[in-house]
Amino acid sequence: MDEGNGSAPSADDIAKMSFEQALGALESIVQQLERGDVPLDESITLYERGEQLRAACQKRLDTAQARIEKIVTSADGKPSGTAPLDGSN
């Protein structure tokens, strides 16, 4: 989590990050790249790390979405339980 030291974490390190940590690291990379004051080689390395972080965040979001449950209502319109959110009704 030493974001400014030039040594990007491995995929294993990224997998161990919380969603918030990975998102924060990705935001830091985006800010660095947007400033435009990073040498080309370092920009490429940052971009690659950013893509790994983006993929990790997307995977976590996809997993979270799969766990979301929708409220099932009874005939009288009151909540009667939950069902997996799988796109089917």
Side-chain angles (χ1 to χ4, degrees):
M1 299 186 229
D2 297 311
E3 294 164 8
N5 68 1
S7 64
S10 68
D12 287 341
D13 292 337
I14 291 172
K16 292 176 186 174
M17 290 180 170
S18 69
F19 173 81
E20 291 77 11
Q21 290 170 323
L23 186 59
L26 180 56
E27 289 172 347
S28 175
I29 287 171
V30 169
Q31 290 172 358
Q32 290 177 60
L33 292 173
E34 285 179 341
R35 279 197 311 264
D37 59 358
V38 180
L40 179 59
D41 288 342
E42 187 176 343
S43 292
I44 293 168
T45 300
L46 285 171
Y47 181 86
E48 290 170 345
R49 177 179 175 209
E51 179 55 28
Q52 291 175 337
L53 289 162
R54 185 211 57 81
C57 287
Q58 187 63 53
K59 183 177 178 183
R60 297 247 175 103
L61 287 173
D62 292 345
T63 299
Q65 183 176 358
R67 294 177 59 195
I68 294 173
E69 293 181 331
K70 64 179 179 179
I71 297 174
V72 177
T73 54
S74 60
D76 63 0
K78 295 185 178 179
S80 63
T82 61
L85 179 61
D86 62 1
S88 63
N89 291 330

